[in-house]
């Protein structure tokens, strides 16, 4: 693969590749070899009376009209399906007999038949699919309007002016300054990514920072993420990802194929893509997933080296994928599904297996329920699906299962998922199971036979959230994925899903007369209340078990710290009564094992007479916070100071502490390392910066160490040119 590079001096030590898998030194190979001082020609022109003196891409006019001013790049960036202008200065005023055209080339071996060589004419002569007009002519200067088709190839084009003469065709020399980037256009009604609402476009295309929700549905937490799609080198890096995927240039105008390829390339599972997933607690060969502040550093490092970046988990995959999508002009957002099922058996059942003594049988349990899982949605037209199934589509870059031989997922219509129309591409059944699986509790006897004793139809997909438009607040979009549990519409959807091969649980279970619930109160210690409720007319004794573990957000056990049998109330004083058993879990019992995982999981199982009961409770532990302060004049190109401070609140030292900050349009990614922060000790770090962009801006800081992960903070700033923000 040849790599063309632009050297961005003073910002990065290494160049960022900017090629469309092209060798642009010979755009017209049937003629003489390219020479910087020569002009490629069809034929040697005879007495050409007209020549080109200068080509101006009119960035000051085009960028505001195409909403691309924020891109920190030296070339013109425009959106397809919308006119942009180019000013050409000729050697003399145009005459009626003069004939010329603009030519836009992308990739190697450009061809009109594949849409990779587009000739735009400005008279009666027929040209390529893009349209052109002369907007104005003043002497030797001519302002030309060019409108790419709404389905044009997306990427980096090379621009030439060709003059038709009596003796042949005369072209301008290769000039990198006239290269232009063509993006998808959410403002164009004919584009497959058209989004009618302006506020939604501002959020889902233009916003370069956002909030990703984590934790549990009952204790939701959030972390800011710098998408940074307009930062220097990021657009080139996104094109490089497509180049590295070997995606044919002529397919890069097809939104479905492009997002599907992007879903595969953001992970490195089978194609040397951007990010390496790691769900262990050993990140010694790279960066912990919790330490990233955003996408920019990841994408630039990948584009500079061609080596997959270590490490990521679901929110990192989703954050980087969101940058890729928005950078190319595709409306996108990050989604969090709380209690997300990962069903390895391909049905609508998440099977949790317990031993005869009530303890979890982790060895034989293959399915899992993640506390949360993050994916993306893109807003696109689906001409390959029946009417009504366009709009928001699920795409997921986290490598979970293969789709057509590659680790990727989607695009899957959200509407099709809600309606149970799982026959449509792509991967609708997998996403449907993530939000709709039944949780089936099995008891495994000594012979290995499984007997279901409880089915929970409401646990999975309890809440599906994204960031609200124009606000960091969570927006509940569960209703876009599923009907209310147990409603007639929900029953119809489930029946339809089964018709398409998704197997549900239909176990005939007796009505449960004994139930158990877990209630938690947090202080320095964890206080646990286990309530057994007897619905029968007679007293009973419960033989129960409590398992306490530190868990990854994927539900996988990191460390077990409590494994205790206990007996519930021997007798109820009255019938149909509830009785409580209390536990206190001292902090020193679980704190040494928390490490990077801040969730505690408690499972209570019980047996009374011929009845089995169980309950699961996951607790998201609170972490200390950073203090982030900004001072100075909030104005473009005026010096400002950001101060990050932190106090270690624990009675043990924090070792190997990495502190990072960045702010899109404000401050590039910067880091500071502390070998140790002693108990109750404080640190303070100051950095100066000069804002590049105006408007609402955000700076994010993340502290990460072996024993304390993902301590974050952010600050919002309103940057002005003059007047009000």
């Amino acid at each position: 693969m040849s790599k063309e590079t632009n050297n961005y001096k003073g910002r990065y030590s290494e160049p960022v590749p900017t090629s469309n898998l092209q060798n642009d030194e010979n755009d017209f190979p049937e003629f003489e070899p390219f020479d910087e001082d020569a002009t490629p020609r069809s034929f040697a022109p005879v007495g050409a009376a007209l020549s080109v003196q200068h080509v101006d891409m009119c960035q000051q006019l085009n960028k505001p009209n195409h909403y691309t001013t924020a891109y920190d790049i030296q070339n013109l960036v425009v959106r397809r399906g919308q006119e942009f202008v180019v000013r050409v200065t000729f050697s003399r005023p145009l005459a009626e007999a003069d004939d010329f055209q603009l030519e836009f080339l992308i990739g190697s071996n450009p061809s009109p038949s594949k849409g990779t060589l587009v000739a735009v004419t400005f008279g009666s002569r027929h040209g390529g699919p893009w349209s052109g007009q002369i907007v104005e002519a003043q002497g030797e200067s001519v302002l030309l309007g060019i409108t790419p088709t709404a389905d044009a190839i997306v990427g980096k084009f090379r621009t030439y002016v060709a003059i038709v003469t009596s003796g042949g065709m005369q072209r301008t020399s290769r000039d990198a300054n006239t290269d232009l980037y063509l993006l998808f256009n959410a403002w164009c009604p004919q584009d497959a990514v058209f989004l009618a609402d302006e506020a939604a476009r501002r959020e889902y295309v233009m916003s370069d920072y956002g909030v990703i929700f984590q934790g549990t549905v009952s204790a939701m937490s959030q972390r800011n993420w710098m998408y940074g799609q307009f930062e220097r080198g990021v657009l080139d890096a996104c094109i490089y990802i497509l180049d590295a995927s070997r995606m044919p240039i002529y397919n890069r105008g097809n939104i479905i194929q492009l997002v599907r390829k992007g879903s595969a390339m953001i992970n490195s599972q089978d194609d040397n893509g951007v990010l390496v997933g790691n769900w262990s607690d050993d990140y010694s060969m790279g960066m912990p997933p919790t330490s990233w502040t955003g996408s920019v550093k990841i994408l630039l490092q990948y584009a500079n080296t061609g080596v997959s970046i270590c490490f990521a988990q679901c929110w990192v995959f989703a954050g980087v994928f969101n940058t890729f999508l928005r950078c190319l002009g595709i409306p996108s957002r990050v989604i969090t599904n709380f209690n997300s099922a990962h069903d390895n058996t391909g049905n609508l059942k998440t099977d949790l297996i317990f031993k005869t003594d009530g303890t979890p049988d982790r060895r034989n349990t293959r399915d899992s329920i993640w506390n949360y899982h993050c994916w993306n949605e893109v807003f696109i037209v689906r001409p390959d699906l029946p009417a009504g199934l366009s709009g928001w589509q699920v795409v997921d870059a986290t490598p979970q299962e293969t789709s057509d031989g590659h680790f990727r997922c989607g695009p899957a219509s959200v509407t099709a998922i809600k309606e149970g129309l799982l026959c449509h591409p792509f991967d609708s059944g997998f996403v449907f199971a993530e939000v709709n699986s039944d949780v089936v509790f099995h008891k495994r006897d000594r012979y290995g036979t499984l007997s279901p004793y409880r089915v929970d139809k409401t646990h999975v997909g309890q809440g599906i959230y994204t960031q609200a438009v124009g606000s960091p607040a969570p927006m509940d979009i569960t209703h876009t994925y599923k009907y209310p549990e147990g409603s007639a519409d929900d029953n119809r959807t489930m029946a339809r899903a089964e018709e398409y091969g998704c197997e549900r649980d239909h176990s005939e279970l007796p009505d449960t007369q004994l139930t158990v619930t877990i209630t938690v109160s947090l202080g320095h210690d964890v206080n646990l209340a286990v309530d057994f409720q007897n619905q029968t007319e007679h007293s009973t004794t419960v033989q129960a078990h409590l398992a306490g573990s530190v868990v990854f957000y994927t539900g996988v056990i990191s460390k077990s710290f409590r494994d205790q049998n206990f007996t519930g109330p021997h007798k109820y004083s009255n019938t149909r009564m509830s009785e409580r058993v209390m536990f206190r879990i001292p902090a020193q019992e679980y704190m040494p094992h928390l490490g990077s995982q801040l969730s505690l999981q408690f499972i209570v199982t019980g047996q009374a007479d011929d009845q089995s009961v169980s309950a699961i409770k996951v607790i998201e532990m609170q972490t200390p916070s950073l203090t982030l302060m900004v001072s100075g004049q909030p104005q473009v190109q005026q010096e400002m100071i950001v101060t990050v401070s932190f106090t270690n609140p624990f009675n043990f030292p924090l070792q190997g502490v990495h502190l990072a900050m960045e702010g899109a349009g404000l401050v590039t990614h910067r880091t500071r390392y502390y070998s140790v922060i002693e108990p109750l000790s404080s640190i303070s770090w100051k950095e100066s910066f000069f804002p590049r962009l105006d408007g609402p801006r955000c700076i994010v800081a993340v502290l990460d160490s072996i024993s304390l992960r993902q301590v974050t903070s952010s600050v919002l700033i309103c940057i002005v040119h003059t007047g009000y923000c």
Side-chain angles (χ1 to χ4, degrees):
M1 181 189 308
S2 65
K3 295 182 180 178
E4 173 189 67
T5 60
N6 280 346
N7 293 314
Y8 300 120
K9 296 180 180 178
R11 187 68 67 96
Y12 303 108
S13 59
E14 297 183 50
V16 176
T18 61
S19 68
N20 287 114
L21 287 180
Q22 68 195 33
N23 179 4
D24 62 4
E25 293 186 351
N26 197 7
D27 279 330
F28 305 99
E30 66 270 32
F31 312 122
E32 62 189 74
F34 175 78
D35 188 297
E36 287 290 346
D37 299 320
T39 301
R41 294 178 175 87
S42 308
F43 306 93
V46 178
L50 185 69
S51 63
V52 176
Q53 304 297 306
H54 182 66
V55 178
D56 178 6
M57 302 304 287
C58 300
Q59 296 202 36
Q60 298 302 314
L61 288 174
N62 289 316
K63 284 189 172 183
N65 291 335
H66 285 255
Y67 303 97
T68 59
T69 303
Y71 284 92
D72 188 7
I73 198 165
Q74 64 183 6
N75 294 95
L76 177 62
V77 181
V78 293
R79 301 183 189 276
R80 65 186 193 177
Q82 179 177 338
E83 186 180 68
F84 65 93
V85 295
V86 174
R87 186 174 295 279
V88 179
T89 302
F90 292 97
S91 58
R92 60 165 175 76
L94 289 177
E96 185 176 350
D98 291 329
D99 190 6
F100 69 95
Q101 64 189 33
L102 263 61
E103 297 174 342
F104 299 92
L105 289 69
I106 185 171
S108 59
N109 301 317
S111 165
S113 64
K114 294 184 177 181
T116 55
L117 191 162
V118 182
V120 181
T121 58
F122 299 89
S124 58
R125 181 169 59 85
H126 178 72
W130 298 10
S131 62
Q133 63 168 331
I134 297 177
V135 178
E136 67 175 25
Q138 295 181 343
E140 296 84 0
S141 177
V142 180
L143 188 66
L144 305 173
I146 301 98
T147 304
T149 56
D151 61 353
I153 293 169
V154 168
K156 185 180 181 183
F157 285 80
R158 308 180 295 284
T159 305
Y160 295 90
V161 182
I163 298 174
V164 181
T165 69
S166 58
M169 184 81 78
Q170 175 186 339
R171 290 186 175 87
T172 52
S173 300
R174 171 80 175 93
D175 183 359
N177 293 318
T178 62
D179 290 351
L180 67 87
Y181 295 84
L182 189 63
L183 309 180
F184 291 97
N185 192 352
W187 286 262
C188 175
Q190 289 75 43
D191 198 307
V193 304
F194 174 64
L195 185 58
D197 183 73
E198 175 61 22
R201 289 194 294 253
R202 291 287 177 183
E203 182 67 48
Y204 300 134
V205 179
M206 300 299 293
S207 181
D208 54 6
Y209 64 91
V211 172
I212 298 176
F213 298 101
Q214 299 177 323
T216 65
V217 70
S218 59
M220 195 182 306
S221 61
Q222 65 184 54
R223 65 160 299 162
N224 289 83
W225 189 266
M226 286 290 116
Y227 300 124
Q229 66 265 33
F230 306 124
E231 297 304 289
R232 178 68 65 92
V234 171
L235 178 53
D236 288 331
C238 293
I239 293 174
Y240 172 79
I241 290 171
L242 296 176
D243 292 346
S245 76
R246 311 299 297 183
M247 183 181 189
I249 294 285
Y250 53 79
N251 286 339
R252 298 189 190 181
N254 184 311
I255 182 63
I256 296 173
Q257 293 187 44
L258 189 140
V259 298
R260 194 151 168 78
K261 182 64 72 173
S263 171
M265 281 299 298
I266 297 301
N267 71 74
S268 64
Q269 195 77 2
D270 47 22
D271 46 22
N272 297 315
V274 179
L275 286 160
V276 179
N278 185 344
W279 284 267
S280 73
D281 204 16
D282 179 7
Y283 310 120
S284 57
M285 300 301 292
M287 297 287 289
T290 48
S291 68
W292 300 111
T293 53
S295 307
V296 176
K297 179 178 172 61
I298 293 169
L299 289 169
L300 294 182
Q301 184 176 334
Y302 177 71
N304 280 326
T305 66
V307 177
S308 302
I309 308 303
C310 301
F311 290 108
Q313 292 178 5
C314 71
W315 72 91
V316 182
F317 287 112
V320 173
F321 197 14
N322 216 51
T323 300
F324 172 87
L325 295 164
R326 290 186 184 182
C327 186
L328 296 178
I330 304 166
S332 62
R333 59 190 186 182
V334 176
I335 308 299
T336 301
N337 176 37
F338 289 101
N339 295 343
S340 188
H342 186 183
D343 177 18
N344 282 291
T345 51
N347 54 32
L348 289 180
K349 299 187 294 183
T350 298
D351 298 304
L352 304 183
I353 303 172
F354 296 83
K355 301 175 184 177
T356 54
D357 62 358
T359 59
D361 188 349
R362 306 191 190 282
R363 180 178 180 181
N364 290 290
T365 297
R366 296 288 181 263
D367 297 343
S368 61
I369 302 172
W370 296 17
N371 295 349
Y372 64 90
H373 176 49
C374 299
W375 59 66
N376 302 81
E377 286 180 358
V378 293
F379 194 90
I380 62 175
V381 173
R382 292 294 301 271
D384 57 324
L385 301 184
L389 300 184
S390 293
W392 290 113
Q393 315 281 313
V394 172
V395 285
D396 193 348
T398 300
Q400 298 183 87
E401 303 290 341
T402 58
S403 174
D404 292 339
H406 296 275
F407 279 91
R408 58 185 172 185
C409 181
S413 167
V414 173
T415 300
I417 293 165
K418 182 175 182 178
E419 298 298 335
L421 298 170
L422 308 185
C423 56
H424 300 302
F426 297 88
D427 311 308
S428 299
F430 182 81
V431 181
F432 187 87
E434 288 184 298
V435 301
N436 283 301
S437 281
D438 297 334
V439 182
V440 183
F441 295 79
H442 299 269
K443 180 175 291 185
R444 186 171 183 269
D445 65 21
R446 60 178 179 171
Y447 303 108
T449 302
L450 298 181
S451 301
Y453 66 88
R454 179 189 169 203
V455 177
D456 189 337
K457 297 181 180 295
T458 63
H459 184 72
V460 167
Q462 281 193 7
I464 304 171
Y465 287 84
T466 191
Q467 181 182 343
V469 173
S471 165
M475 180 170 68
D476 189 345
I477 59 169
T478 311
H479 64 281
T480 67
Y481 281 81
K482 54 202 299 188
Y483 289 103
E485 191 73 38
S487 66
D489 288 329
D490 179 58
N491 292 335
R492 185 190 69 244
T493 291
M494 290 301 183
R496 185 179 291 143
E498 285 198 281
E499 292 175 2
Y500 291 118
C502 286
E503 180 186 352
R504 297 187 68 199
D505 181 78
H506 294 285
S507 302
E508 295 291 336
L509 301 178
D511 293 336
T512 302
Q513 301 297 314
L514 181 66
T515 60
V516 60
T517 58
I518 304 173
T519 307
V520 174
S521 61
L522 290 175
H524 184 66
D525 301 330
V526 175
N527 293 301
L528 206 67
V530 179
D531 293 292
F532 294 94
Q533 188 165 20
N534 183 9
Q535 299 291 335
T536 68
E537 299 292 337
H538 61 276
S539 299
T540 188
T541 299
V542 181
Q543 301 298 326
H545 179 83
L546 170 66
S549 308
V550 175
V551 298
F552 295 86
Y553 78 96
T554 58
V556 176
I557 300 296
S558 171
K559 181 69 176 180
S560 296
F561 59 84
R562 177 66 69 97
D563 193 9
Q564 178 180 346
N565 292 318
F566 67 97
T567 302
H570 288 276
K571 290 186 177 181
Y572 291 104
S573 54
N574 296 299
T575 60
R576 303 178 185 273
M577 291 292 290
S578 178
E579 295 289 344
R580 170 170 290 188
V581 180
M582 299 294 299
F583 296 91
R584 184 177 70 88
I585 314 295
Q588 59 265 29
E589 187 172 332
Y590 62 85
M591 275 299 295
H593 307 301
L594 270 176
S596 64
Q597 312 307 321
L598 300 178
S599 293
L600 300 181
Q601 181 188 77
F602 295 99
I603 300 178
V604 172
T605 55
Q607 180 78 29
D609 300 328
D610 59 348
Q611 296 190 73
S612 298
V613 293
S614 60
I616 301 175
K617 186 74 172 181
V618 178
I619 308 163
E620 185 78 6
M621 301 301 293
Q622 299 299 311
T623 64
S625 61
L626 295 171
T627 300
L628 200 56
M629 299 181 62
V630 174
S631 60
Q633 183 67 30
Q635 192 168 338
V636 171
Q637 294 305 324
Q638 296 296 310
E639 185 177 23
M640 299 187 70
I641 304 293
V642 56
T643 303
V644 185
S645 55
F646 172 76
T647 299
N648 177 8
F650 302 109
N651 59 2
F652 54 87
L654 299 177
Q655 297 181 336
V657 179
H658 292 267
L659 190 56
M661 73 165 78
E662 74 171 299
L666 295 176
V667 55
T668 57
H669 186 272
R670 302 180 188 180
T671 60
R672 180 67 62 90
Y673 177 76
Y674 299 88
S675 58
V676 63
I677 302 178
E678 298 291 346
L680 304 181
S681 295
S682 299
I683 59 169
S684 182
W685 172 30
K686 291 186 178 182
E687 288 280 348
S688 67
F689 64 95
F690 294 82
R692 180 179 69 86
L693 297 176
D694 63 354
R697 303 275 107 204
C698 180
I699 296 178
V700 171
V702 176
L703 180 147
D704 202 81
S705 72
I706 295 173
S707 53
L708 184 65
R709 299 290 192 193
Q710 194 169 273
V711 180
T712 68
S713 184
S714 63
V715 61
L716 294 174
I717 318 166
C718 190
I719 304 296
V720 299
H721 274 294
T722 57
Y724 296 98
C725 183

